[in-house]
Amino acid sequence: IREDVSDLLMADPYLDASDIEVRVENAEVTLSGTVASRAEKRLAEYEAEQVAGVVDVHNLLRIRPGDRGGSEETGVQNEGGR
């Protein structure tokens, strides 16, 4: 599962997965590291959910310091969580 998730993240042209760490335990995927925006954070979680055998995704990704994190979309800065 870990390799499949990592491959899918790296293949997505809309996602810079170079700073994403993927861990798998009991078919639950944990994503950690940093991404450029809230859109990339959501996309990474979506991509991980598409992999066969994944039962849950824990999205611990953070928005890189200095990036707006998509606040223009929601008017709210990223507070972490899913």
Side-chain angles (χ1 to χ4, degrees), residues 22-49:
V22 179
R23 292 187 313 258
V24 179
E25 186 172 337
N26 298 322
E28 293 187 11
V29 174
T30 300
L31 303 174
S32 60
T34 58
V35 291
S37 68
R38 289 179 61 118
E40 284 193 4
K41 180 176 177 172
R42 289 189 299 266
L43 180 57
E45 181 173 349
Y46 172 80
E47 295 286 6
E49 290 171 341

Side-chain angles (χ1 to χ4, degrees), residues 33-80:
T34 58
V35 291
S37 68
R38 289 179 61 118
E40 284 193 4
K41 180 176 177 172
R42 289 189 299 266
L43 180 57
E45 181 173 349
Y46 172 80
E47 295 286 6
E49 290 171 341
Q50 304 312 302
V51 173
V54 172
V55 297
D56 197 12
V57 176
H58 305 281
N59 191 341
L60 305 180
L61 292 169
R62 307 276 307 212
I63 309 304
R64 284 187 201 107
D67 287 334
R68 301 302 287 165
S71 61
E72 66 276 1
E73 296 175 34
T74 62
V76 177
Q77 287 291 333
N78 181 29
E79 297 294 328

